[in-house]
Amino acid sequence: MSLPEFGLHFRRYAPFEKFGIPSFKGDNRTAASTSLSATCRTFGCVMFSPAGIRESTAGSSGTEDANLVLHFLDRKRMAKVSMVTTRLHEEGPALLSFTASTAGANPLVPASPDIDTKVQIRVDWGFKNAMHVSGKVSGDDFPNLEVFIRCLQSGYSALLVDGRTTRNRYTGPMSLFGSGDDLCSFAATIPLTDDGTFVGEARYGAPIEI
């Protein structure tokens, strides 16, 4: 029997209709989502199983000028989002630990600072019909943050972090210089079927300010 496979997804999204000066189209949603079609400023995804990490990818759903201010440039561009994934030392055969970080800037503003995000996670399969995950997130405190794990076989997801910035749509982009600081931690015990897949959709913890 093949091992179940999971994806760790972490995304940054602008919870506004418009943001920045000049203004750009935001993601126009105020709460975290586990939909794979939800738009975002940057995203990172690490595919893993009890056997280890398979691959990692990063990107964006694109940035678009909201008011035709940049009519002399492309109105929409894709951000270049870099990603680094590092496997950490495990303490036993049923454990997997790694860090994953992304960095990507507004592609319509030359020399704009990156949105930096780094997730450190520890996955423990040493429980009967359960997977325990714990970790922390660091990086910039703008824009909003969502972290979730999706089970490929079942299609269900477990939302781990619903982080909401306290900065507004005008001042937030100016706070992105530097690599940020610690944002939050998370922990959850996710129920599994006998085949090791997610039982259903789940959300852990209340929304938090970052």
Side-chain angles (χ1 to χ4, degrees), residues 19 47 82 139 147 173 187 193 208:
F19 71 97
M47 305 305 300
S82 63
V147 181
T193 67
I208 58 171

Side-chain angles (χ1 to χ4, degrees), residues 134-158:
S134 59
K136 62 182 181 179
V137 187
S138 58
D140 293 307
D141 60 3
F142 180 89
N144 282 18
L145 163 72
E146 57 198 8
V147 181
F148 63 94
I149 295 177
R150 186 175 182 87
C151 175
L152 269 65
Q153 282 80 358
S154 69
Y156 294 128
S157 297

Side-chain angles (χ1 to χ4, degrees), residues 19 27 34 39 50 70 90 92 105 113 171 173 194:
F19 71 97
D27 299 291
T34 60
T39 62
L70 304 178
E90 289 90 46
T171 63
D194 290 338

Side-chain angles (χ1 to χ4, degrees), residues 111-124:
S112 60
D114 286 332
I115 300 172
D116 295 297
T117 314
K118 182 177 181 180
V119 179
Q120 180 175 324
I121 188 169
R122 181 178 186 268
V123 186
D124 187 350

